């Protein structure tokens, strides 16, 4: 990606799928958009052109386009490259903004019904997508998905995307966002370090505990994590639970079913993390570390294992020592009778793009996404960012780094056994409740049973709240 990690208190890639916007952003946005009404007509009127084979979405030549990009771990050069193609193709001026605090910058504009034409709604302070959807502030992307792919003849945009990408951006059967990257979550380690020590990465939790004892005896902390953001440590917990309980457990959690958080698989996974902490296998002081601090300590060899998504390698450019050769492994199996294989991985598309319903040039916004999601654009992104794009075949023919290669191999080994939880995207308050409870759990201030009870109460309260739009899978 050729950039340094994002400075400041905000995680860069961890929050791709996480609705972390504050109530102060989400609540006014919803109330203003619902009660404020229209501002006097279709803002896109006059900004559409005739549709043709070369212009399937009806872009008006010369119509300006405004693009707002989250400038985090991936930078924004990849977005500018697609903008250059758009500008040349349609003779249009493109207003590009690369920013970090998407929600703070754009919330007033959504309230005023004057949003940009395309938004990369990503980052720790992004807009709550569920709130935008409820307020009918997001365009239906069906015509984009059904349009011809930009550079793959005979295919639609929909045909070129990896499995699950369209579903990840679908609300009530309507595709409203389109995610550009394909993120996989797992446990990371230095391949040369493990080889030099003769350590094999564990495939079961019992093997993990045994390895941690060996690592600790060698004078290295077995684990660290991004303590200020406990959602990072949630992923191995939820991953183990999903492997134990299978798709039924994931569905029950996302559908807010009674006692979903008391399922044996979740309790067993919580007990596993509690035991990891109880045995002193998490690096002392991890709770106080930001994502960059924890990852730097890991890169410096102070800890052997860290949980993270597949953006980690690119985020650590400029920090990781030469020949560190980080690789990602799936979370170990918790029991011998897990519903999913140990090779199963949590994976989902991310880096969420949307076209606001009140955009002045929605046709241009969708055409920009058609260009961005072309195979050529995705391949260039994979080369520079070290991250899997959501476009199938984008890494074909590329020589991949150790980290990205391990991610690709993990996806191939998982096959159909990939999973993802959606409660984070759908219900920000529940996501925060889970994060807070897990932070207490791994810092030995609560038991697994207390963790379960606390989250279940939050889920039950959400389920009873008739003011919150509910989603099911």
């Amino acid at each position: 990606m050729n950039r340094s990690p994002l400075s400041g208190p905000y995680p860069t890639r961890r929050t791709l799928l996480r609705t972390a916007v504050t109530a102060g952003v989400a609540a006014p946005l919803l109330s203003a958009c619902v009660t404020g009404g229209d501002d006097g007509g279709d803002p896109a009127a006059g900004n559409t052109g005739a549709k043709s084979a070369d212009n399937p979405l009806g872009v008006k030549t010369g119509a300006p386009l405004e693009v707002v990009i989250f400038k985090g771990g991936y930078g924004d050069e990849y977005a500018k490259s697609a903008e250059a193609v758009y500008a040349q193709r349609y003779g249009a001026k493109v207003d590009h903004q690369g920013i970090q605090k998407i929600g703070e910058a754009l919330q007033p504009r959504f309230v005023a019904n004057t949003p940009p034409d395309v938004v990369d709604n990503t980052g720790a302070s992004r807009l709550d997508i569920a709130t935008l959807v409820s307020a009918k502030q997001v365009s239906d992307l069906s015509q984009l998905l059904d349009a011809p792919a930009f550079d793959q003849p005979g295919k639609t945009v929909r045909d070129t995307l990896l499995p699950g990408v369209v579903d990840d951006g679908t609300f009530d059967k309507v595709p409203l966002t389109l995610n550009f990257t394909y993120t996989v979550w797992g446990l990371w380690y230095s391949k040369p370090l493990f080889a030099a020590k003769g350590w094999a990465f564990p495939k079961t939790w019992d093997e993990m505990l045994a390895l941690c004892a060996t690592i600790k005896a060698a004078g290295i902390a077995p684990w660290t994590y991004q303590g200020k953001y406990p959602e990072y440590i949630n992923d191995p917990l939820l991953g183990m639970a999903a492997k134990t309980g299978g798709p039924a457990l994931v569905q029950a959690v996302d559908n807010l079913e009674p006692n979903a958080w008391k399922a044996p698989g979740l309790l067993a996974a919580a007990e596993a993390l509690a035991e990891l902490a109880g045995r002193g296998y998490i690096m002392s002081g991890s709770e106080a570390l930001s994502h960059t601090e924890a990852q730097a300590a890991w890169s410096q060899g102070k800890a052997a294992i860290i949980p993270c998504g597949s953006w980690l390698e690119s985020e650590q450019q400029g920090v990781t020592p030469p020949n560190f050769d980080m690789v990602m492994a799936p979370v170990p199996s918790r029991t011998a009778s897990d519903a999913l294989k140990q090779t199963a991985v949590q994976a989902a598309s991310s880096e969420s793009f949307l076209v606001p319903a009140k955009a002045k040039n929605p046709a241009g916004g969708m055409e920009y996404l058609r260009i961005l999601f072309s195979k050529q654009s995705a391949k260039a992104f994979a080369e520079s960012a070290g991250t899997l794009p959501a476009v199938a075949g984008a890494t074909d023919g590329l020589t991949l780094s150790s980290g990205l290669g391990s991610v690709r191999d993990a996806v191939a080994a998982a096959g159909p056994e990939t999973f993802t939880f959606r409660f984070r995207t759908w219900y920000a308050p529940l996501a925060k409740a889970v994060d807070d409870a897990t932070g207490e759990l791994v810092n030995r201030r609560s038991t697994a049973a207390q963790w379960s009870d606390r989250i279940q109460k939050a889920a039950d309260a959400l389920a009873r709240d008739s003011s919150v739009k509910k989603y099911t899978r």
Side-chain angles (χ1 to χ4, degrees), residues 296-323:
W298 170 73
S299 295
Q300 293 161 6
K302 295 177 182 178
I305 298 169
I306 192 169
C308 201
S310 52
W311 61 84
L312 179 63
E313 184 180 45
S314 60
E315 190 169 81
Q316 290 300 100
Q317 287 184 12
V319 176
T320 305
N323 303 316

Side-chain angles (χ1 to χ4, degrees), residues 309-357:
S310 52
W311 61 84
L312 179 63
E313 184 180 45
S314 60
E315 190 169 81
Q316 290 300 100
Q317 287 184 12
V319 176
T320 305
N323 303 316
F324 186 81
D325 290 345
M326 67 178 73
V327 290
M328 191 199 77
V331 174
S333 297
R334 180 66 178 92
T335 74
S337 57
D338 281 359
L340 298 179
K341 297 176 183 176
Q342 187 273 330
T343 51
V345 291
Q346 181 179 351
S349 59
S350 48
E351 198 80 15
S352 182
F353 283 80
L354 60 87
V355 175

Side-chain angles (χ1 to χ4, degrees), residues 72-151:
Y74 299 141
D76 59 353
E77 290 302 317
Y78 74 97
K80 291 179 180 178
S81 296
E83 290 165 14
V85 174
Y86 180 96
Q88 182 177 23
R89 189 177 180 90
Y90 294 101
K93 178 182 178 181
V94 178
D95 177 3
H96 171 93
Q97 298 175 54
I99 62 177
Q100 293 175 7
K101 298 181 180 180
I102 296 292
E104 293 179 24
L106 297 186
Q107 182 260 343
R109 296 188 58 184
F110 274 91
V111 170
N113 289 326
T114 59
D117 299 310
V118 182
V119 178
D120 172 11
N121 188 37
T122 303
S125 65
R126 74 181 181 273
L127 294 157
D128 183 351
I129 184 61
T131 299
L132 290 175
V133 170
S134 179
K136 301 188 184 304
Q137 287 287 316
V138 190
S139 295
D140 181 345
L141 298 181
S142 295
Q143 60 178 316
L144 165 63
L145 293 170
D146 294 334
F150 189 76
D151 58 359

Side-chain angles (χ1 to χ4, degrees), residues 12 26 98 101 107-108 117 143 149 163 170 181 247 252 257 264 270 275 304 313 315 369-370 402 436:
T12 55
K101 298 181 180 180
Q107 182 260 343
D117 299 310
Q143 60 178 316
T170 296
T181 63
E257 293 182 10
E275 185 173 16
E313 184 180 45
E315 190 169 81
L369 293 181
R370 193 171 76 99
S402 61
D436 291 346

Side-chain angles (χ1 to χ4, degrees), residues 170-225:
T170 296
F171 295 78
D172 285 341
K173 300 182 180 180
V174 180
L176 298 176
T177 66
L178 192 56
N179 300 339
F180 188 58
T181 63
Y182 199 70
T183 303
V184 185
W185 286 266
L187 299 175
W188 291 78
Y189 64 99
S190 167
K191 190 174 181 180
L193 171 65
F194 271 56
K197 298 290 187 180
W199 299 336
F201 199 85
K203 295 185 177 181
T204 70
W205 191 251
D206 288 342
E207 291 174 357
M208 172 62 77
L209 293 176
L211 175 63
C212 285
T214 301
I215 294 173
K216 188 174 182 180
I220 304 173
W223 283 51
T224 188
Y225 78 104

